[in-house]
Amino acid sequence: MLIEMRFSNFFSIKEEVCIDFTAGNINTAGARALADNVFSVKEQTLLKVQGLFGPNASGKSSILKAALFCRQLILDSFQNNEGTIFNFMPFKFDGYFEKPSSFHINFIVDEIEYEYSFSLTRTEILSEELYYYPSKRKAKIFTRNENAGSAKSDIYSFGENHFVKPLDVAQSTGKNTLFISRASQMDRELAKKIYNYFRTELLIGLPQLSGQYAVELFKQNKELILKALKMADSDITDIVVRIERTPLFSVQPQVTRNGIPVPTNTVTQMADIINFYTTHKRNPDISFHLEAEESAGTIQIFNLLLLLLDVCKNGKTLILDEFDASLHTELAQFILDMVNASKSAQFLFTSHNTNLLDIKKMRRDQILFTNKGEDGSTEVYSLFDFKDFRENMDAEKCYLQGRFDAVPYINSSVNIIKNLLGE
């Protein structure tokens, strides 16, 4: 479960921005009517859904990229070799390009809260810390400060009994590798728990489910998927799944006798492949291969729904950029309602769909805005921050009027465009 993410000096992000899933103290009739939008864990109340709204180039994607970069570095940095350059750019103005970038994430695994953070330049990691809350008090698991000395014993400090031979791991951890990544690769149990949270519980982007689990999810939720496709104006009446024996590739064995090639039979490698087939209202007797013959929109909706079912059933966190692209507002709201209907799933998304700015469906602390400051940096703030906004107001109308600043001002008219075109 995700509590909070904080990032600084990453692409358009200059000063630290925060995505906080902790629910605000809202005790209005409107908030009470949205009781399903929150859940409680470890004496905390967390939000299930948060949406980022704002103009193009305001930094919404930078926030999601920062989360993805953090996740991938944890999963992959144990493979880094000498000379690795990290794949990101710091903020390029005001001298920030030479300053460190920082990443911080608060999360819960097995009912224990952890705080993990690190800072780095494009070529080396400067610091790394992991704390936890075994009770109400914060306790150290390890800290790392590459500026504290040259010996690993100076650079690293460890809490008690969290890792077996932690300095052995530190000795194998270079300046372009996260300790938590190396420790997981070296089979340290706590590190593997943290690693697996980022691998399986925090999902970013739209990875496709596969294998028998995807088949079971589909079979259990077929009617819900068909309903969602109908909401998307699809005329699909049925979907079936088949596990089919399919050739992957063919190999011609090279056999020689006395240096002369001898003809042999081709060996074909086979594999079991999961295929989904649709039928349409026009003729239910004709089937269509989902991936090969349906529209890109239908394929995306199907994959999104299947992934969300996994997220909702297992209390995972999903982060998606413009999840509702090409989706009708009703279907986009249906997807948000799926998450709110879950026990403890979480969903962070970006969107340009102002119809979703409905405080009868989303609490004020679930609506976040991004904007560019005068220095070109990204700012993040919540509708909850606007104390003069009342729940009987129209949030979408206020947004489009520019009351929350995060709306583009486009000076457009036919005459202006004619001048641009030289007409």
Side-chain angles (χ1 to χ4, degrees):
M1 297 162 192
L2 180 61
I3 300 175
E4 180 185 79
M5 298 186 298
R6 302 200 307 267
F7 311 115
S8 71
N9 199 22
F10 185 91
F11 288 101
S12 67
I13 300 170
K14 178 184 176 182
E15 303 296 343
E16 187 174 80
V17 300
C18 180
I19 304 297
D20 189 355
F21 271 86
T22 305
N25 185 18
I26 308 176
N27 190 28
T28 62
R32 290 194 294 271
L34 297 174
D36 286 333
N37 291 31
V38 299
F39 67 101
S40 296
V41 60
K42 295 284 292 182
E43 300 181 354
Q44 298 185 71
T45 303
L46 301 179
L47 302 169
K48 294 180 181 177
V49 173
Q50 281 198 309
L52 279 164
F53 299 86
N56 289 323
S58 62
K60 297 186 299 296
S61 295
S62 290
I63 294 167
L64 272 58
K65 286 178 181 177
L68 180 60
F69 175 84
C70 177
R71 177 180 185 267
Q72 290 306 120
L73 203 66
I74 292 166
L75 298 185
D76 299 336
S77 69
F78 71 88
Q79 304 178 72
N80 289 346
N81 291 319
E82 191 71 23
T84 295
I85 297 177
F86 299 124
N87 186 27
F88 80 99
M89 286 290 175
F91 189 73
K92 287 192 172 183
F93 302 135
D94 304 327
Y96 272 70
F97 195 77
E98 304 300 326
K99 294 183 179 181
S101 303
S102 66
F103 304 81
H104 176 103
I105 185 165
N106 252 41
F107 56 97
I108 296 174
V109 177
D110 295 338
E111 299 187 352
I112 297 176
E113 180 180 343
Y114 295 90
E115 288 185 8
Y116 178 68
S117 62
F118 60 87
S119 65
L120 75 172
T121 65
R122 293 193 70 212
T123 58
E124 62 180 357
I125 292 159
L126 303 178
S127 67
E128 187 179 3
E129 296 181 347
L130 180 63
Y131 290 88
Y132 77 129
Y133 291 82
S135 57
K136 293 185 177 181
R137 298 186 64 181
K138 181 176 177 179
K140 179 174 68 176
I141 295 177
F142 78 89
T143 62
R144 168 188 186 181
N145 181 358
E146 291 288 344
N147 295 320
S150 56
K152 295 292 186 179
S153 57
D154 296 329
I155 294 169
Y156 286 87
S157 174
F158 297 95
E160 295 183 359
N161 303 321
H162 295 298
F163 294 104
V164 176
K165 298 181 179 179
L167 278 176
D168 285 0
V169 179
Q171 292 292 344
S172 299
T173 303
K175 288 191 175 183
N176 53 19
T177 301
L178 291 173
F179 176 88
I180 205 71
S181 181
R182 177 65 72 195
S184 175
Q185 185 253 346
M186 294 179 68
D187 206 32
R188 299 313 196 258
E189 289 301 321
L190 177 57
K192 289 196 295 183
K193 178 189 288 190
I194 304 301
Y195 182 95
N196 282 322
Y197 166 78
F198 286 93
R199 183 178 68 87
T200 65
E201 303 298 313
L202 180 62
L203 307 178
I204 304 175
L206 193 58
Q208 292 189 9
L209 293 174
S210 60
Q212 189 60 37
Y213 181 55
V215 174
E216 292 302 319
L217 268 178
F218 169 74
K219 288 181 176 179
Q220 294 169 14
N221 300 280
K222 178 177 174 178
E223 294 305 316
L224 184 146
I225 292 172
L226 288 172
K227 176 184 176 182
L229 289 172
K230 185 177 180 181
M231 292 172 64
D233 293 328
S234 170
D235 65 345
I236 292 174
T237 57
D238 195 17
I239 305 176
V240 296
V241 59
R242 300 173 191 158
I243 301 176
E244 299 173 322
R245 195 76 173 160
T246 304
L248 289 179
F249 55 86
S250 298
V251 177
Q252 182 77 43
Q254 298 297 313
V255 180
T256 61
R257 184 175 298 144
N258 298 325
I260 301 173
V262 177
T264 57
N265 294 325
T266 299
V267 177
T268 301
Q269 299 293 325
M270 306 292 290
D272 288 332
I273 303 295
I274 297 171
N275 289 314
F276 293 93
Y277 292 91
T278 63
T279 55
H280 291 250
K281 186 177 180 180
R282 171 88 181 264
N283 190 338
D285 295 327
I286 298 176
S287 62
F288 295 80
H289 189 283
L290 177 67
E291 293 287 339
E293 298 181 284
E294 292 292 352
S295 70
T298 298
I299 296 169
Q300 175 162 334
I301 293 169
F302 180 85
N303 289 332
L304 176 57
L305 287 171
L306 208 56
L307 179 62
L308 272 172
L309 289 167
D310 174 52
V311 170
C312 292
K313 286 178 176 292
N314 294 292
K316 298 181 180 182
T317 301
L318 176 63
I319 300 176
L320 287 181
D321 196 8
E322 297 195 26
F323 83 104
D324 55 339
S326 302
L327 299 186
H328 189 278
T329 299
E330 187 178 355
L331 182 56
Q333 187 61 56
F334 175 83
I335 289 169
L336 300 185
D337 289 343
M338 277 183 61
V339 182
N340 286 327
S342 72
K343 182 180 179 181
S344 59
Q346 293 174 294
F347 185 30
L348 174 66
F349 67 89
T350 71
S351 178
H352 291 286
N353 185 352
T354 60
N355 290 318
L356 296 176
L357 292 170
D358 183 353
I359 59 171
K360 294 180 180 178
K361 301 288 182 67
M362 293 181 72
R363 292 163 45 110
R364 285 175 288 153
D365 50 4
Q366 292 183 281
I367 297 173
L368 306 177
F369 300 113
T370 59
N371 201 10
K372 279 285 184 71
E374 292 184 0
D375 60 358
S377 67
T378 294
E379 302 171 337
V380 179
Y381 47 94
S382 169
L383 179 56
F384 185 54
D385 297 331
F386 291 82
K387 303 305 180 184
D388 60 340
F389 180 84
R390 299 185 302 275
E391 291 186 351
N392 61 351
M393 293 180 175
D394 186 328
E396 180 184 17
K397 183 178 179 180
C398 291
Y399 173 79
L400 294 174
Q401 289 174 341
R403 284 196 56 180
F404 311 133
D405 294 330
V407 64
Y409 172 72
I410 301 175
N411 186 10
S412 173
S413 71
V414 171
N415 287 333
I416 290 173
I417 294 172
K418 280 183 177 180
N419 288 334
L420 289 173
L421 296 174
E423 296 293 338

